Amino acid sequence: MEIINNPTQVDIVKAAKALIDGQLVVFPTETVYGLGADATNKKAVSRIYSVKSRPENHPLIVHISSINQLDKWVANIPDYAIKLATEFWPGPITLILKRSELAKDFITGGQDNVGLRVPDHSIALALITEFEKLGGFGIGAPSANRFGAVSPTTIEAVELELGGYLQAEDLILDGGLSEIGVESTIINCTKEYPVVLRPGAITTKMIEYTTGLKVQFNQEKIGIRASGLMESHYSPKAKVVIDAIAEPGDGFIALANIPTPAGAIRLASPENIEEYARVLYEALRAGDQKGLKKIKIIQPEGDGLALAIRDRSGKAASGKGSVR
Ligand code: TXA
Ligand code: MG
């Protein structure tokens, strides 16, 4: 694989061509890095599953360049989904909609719906736009980590996760540190009201304000599969424990105003919720790199992005590092 730092337009065109040729391209987004393939190429998409070691019935999000590309992928769009796409794209929200013919079983995990997102990152948008110019319809991309592990927010993390699994012709586009740091909000838009499947930077309040509808959460049995919905996910190798007192030798992650317990190893001191989301995954990785056995996380309070942080740290905790 080739890593391209500060990609130029020439590099972007090369990467778009690689996608058309069926290669994989890791690209930065505002949330986390994605492992991309041509979403209509069965063989290329199946490589994503083997590189990640991800079960094939877990659907991929299709990344498109703008709301204008939505019609190609979906059969039916409720008004509130159009409002969400208009308001928040490009941005960290994925909409699950009834699929069109273009969205085959190999991208939807055999489900009758497909997830779509327009990422808010200049490199991602340039790549998708060039790919569409070459005749592509969308880039299928999960987070660029091995199945069950922590999503990468830096190029070094991408290399650590996937370096050993990519082919010589695959590309990695460097975009620096991901600005948001946790994955997109996922909304099931196949019902009369929006259902949050995964909390993220686009908050419940923002969605309710934009749609005028009450948001539901995913507790009901809706028959939708999302790997991020499994209990153990987003897990480092260390055992993650939530809201417990750190002992000497434990890793410790908390807001900056919470003092480090004696002997604990501070892994991050974010000053606010946005910074907390941005540094969380790197802090978990740092714990693994130091070979720590346990990482204690003091979760932030409040709604909005704090909810996403509690969701991910809770899942990291139930993973107990056993997933990989
Ligand atoms: O921020 C993000 O969403 C990042 C960047 C790269 O865009 N992507 C990402 O993809 O987090 P992934 O595959 O790691 O997580 C997406 C989650 C998975 O749990 C997947 O199962 C679920 O979304 N998902 C995708 N399509 C779906 C669908 N049609 N129905 C239900 N869940 C779906
Ligand atoms: Mg993921």
Side-chain angles (χ1 to χ4, degrees), residues 52 54 143 145 151 233-234:
K52 277 186 71 94
R54 173 165 165 154
S143 50
N145 52 277
S151 298
H233 220 75
Y234 309 108

Coordinates of all heavy atoms in Angstrom, one line a residue, residues 52 54 143 145 151 233-234, ligand 2:
K52 N -11.0 -6.1 7.0 CA -11.5 -5.8 8.4 C -11.7 -7.1 9.2 O -11.9 -7.0 10.4 CB -12.8 -5.0 8.3 CG -12.6 -3.6 8.1 CD -14.0 -2.9 8.1 CE -14.6 -2.8 9.5 NZ -14.3 -1.6 10.3
R54 N -14.5 -8.6 9.0 CA -15.9 -8.3 9.4 C -16.9 -9.2 8.8 O -16.8 -9.6 7.7 CB -16.2 -6.8 8.9 CG -17.6 -6.3 9.1 CD -17.6 -4.8 8.8 NE -18.9 -4.3 8.7 CZ -19.2 -3.0 8.9 NH1 -18.2 -2.2 9.4 NH2 -20.4 -2.5 8.7
S143 N -15.5 2.2 9.0 CA -14.3 2.8 9.7 C -13.1 1.9 9.4 O -13.3 0.7 9.2 CB -14.5 2.9 11.2 OG -15.0 1.7 11.7
N145 N -10.7 0.2 10.6 CA -10.1 -0.6 11.7 C -10.5 -2.0 11.5 O -11.5 -2.3 10.8 CB -10.6 -0.1 13.1 CG -12.2 0.0 13.1 OD1 -12.8 0.9 12.6 ND2 -12.8 -1.1 13.6
S151 N -12.0 2.8 16.2 CA -11.8 3.4 14.9 C -10.6 4.3 14.8 O -10.3 5.0 15.8 CB -13.1 4.3 14.6 OG -14.2 3.5 14.5
H233 N -17.8 -3.6 21.2 CA -17.3 -2.9 19.9 C -16.4 -1.8 20.4 O -16.4 -1.5 21.6 CB -18.5 -2.4 19.2 CG -18.4 -2.6 17.7 ND1 -18.5 -3.8 17.1 CD2 -18.1 -1.8 16.7 CE1 -18.3 -3.7 15.8 NE2 -18.1 -2.5 15.5
Y234 N -15.8 -1.2 19.4 CA -14.9 0.0 19.7 C -14.0 -0.3 20.9 O -13.7 0.5 21.7 CB -15.8 1.2 20.1 CG -16.9 1.5 19.2 CD1 -18.3 1.2 19.5 CD2 -16.7 2.0 17.9 CE1 -19.3 1.4 18.6 CE2 -17.7 2.3 17.0 CZ -19.0 2.0 17.3 OH -20.0 2.2 16.5
Ligands
MG2 MG -16.8 0.9 12.6

